[in-house]
């Protein structure tokens, strides 16, 4: 059954994996997960295909790679700043 999670809640899903874990194994275990972004959605496997890391020692390492390679739609409007007023 497919799982859908908000980007802000993806840590819980990543925490369910046993670490250390290879990128290939993580992709297999997360194959049914779609993440809801600020504007759209993405499957975790589609994002992980872009990530160069082969192994993850911790959930933080995996999360950091995923967030680095998320589509621009993940964080909202391109070009907006939160603190430049």
């Amino acid at each position: 059954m497919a799982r859908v999670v908000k980007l802000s809640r993806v840590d819980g899903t990543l925490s369910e994996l046993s670490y250390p874990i290879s990128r290939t194994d993580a992709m297999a275990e997360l194959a049914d997960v779609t993440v809801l972004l600020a504007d759209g959605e993405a499957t975790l496997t589609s994002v992980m295909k872009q990530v160069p890391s082969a192994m993850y020692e911790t959930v933080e390492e995996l999360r950091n790679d995923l967030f680095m390679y998320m589509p621009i739609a993940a964080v909202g409007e391109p070009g907006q700043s939160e603190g430049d007023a």
Side-chain angles (χ1 to χ4, degrees):
M1 181 161 71
R3 296 180 282 172
V4 178
V5 296
K6 291 182 179 181
L7 182 60
S8 62
R9 305 237 185 247
V10 77
D11 280 0
T13 302
L14 301 179
S15 295
E16 295 171 5
L17 304 177
S18 296
Y19 294 87
I21 191 168
S22 69
R23 181 170 59 101
T24 304
D25 289 345
M27 287 175 64
E29 291 195 40
L30 299 170
D32 66 333
V33 179
T34 298
V35 179
L36 298 177
L37 309 175
D39 185 19
E41 59 185 39
T43 63
L44 286 181
T45 54
S46 68
V47 176
M48 291 185 76
K49 287 178 183 178
Q50 304 171 57
V51 175
S53 300
M55 208 56 196
Y56 297 99
E57 297 296 323
T58 65
V59 66
E60 291 82 13
E61 287 179 4
L62 177 52
R63 178 185 21 122
N64 290 342
D65 265 4
L66 286 172
F67 278 40
M68 189 177 308
Y69 287 89
M70 282 283 174
I72 193 76
V75 293
E77 298 283 329
Q80 288 189 349
S81 173
E82 291 185 23
D84 297 337

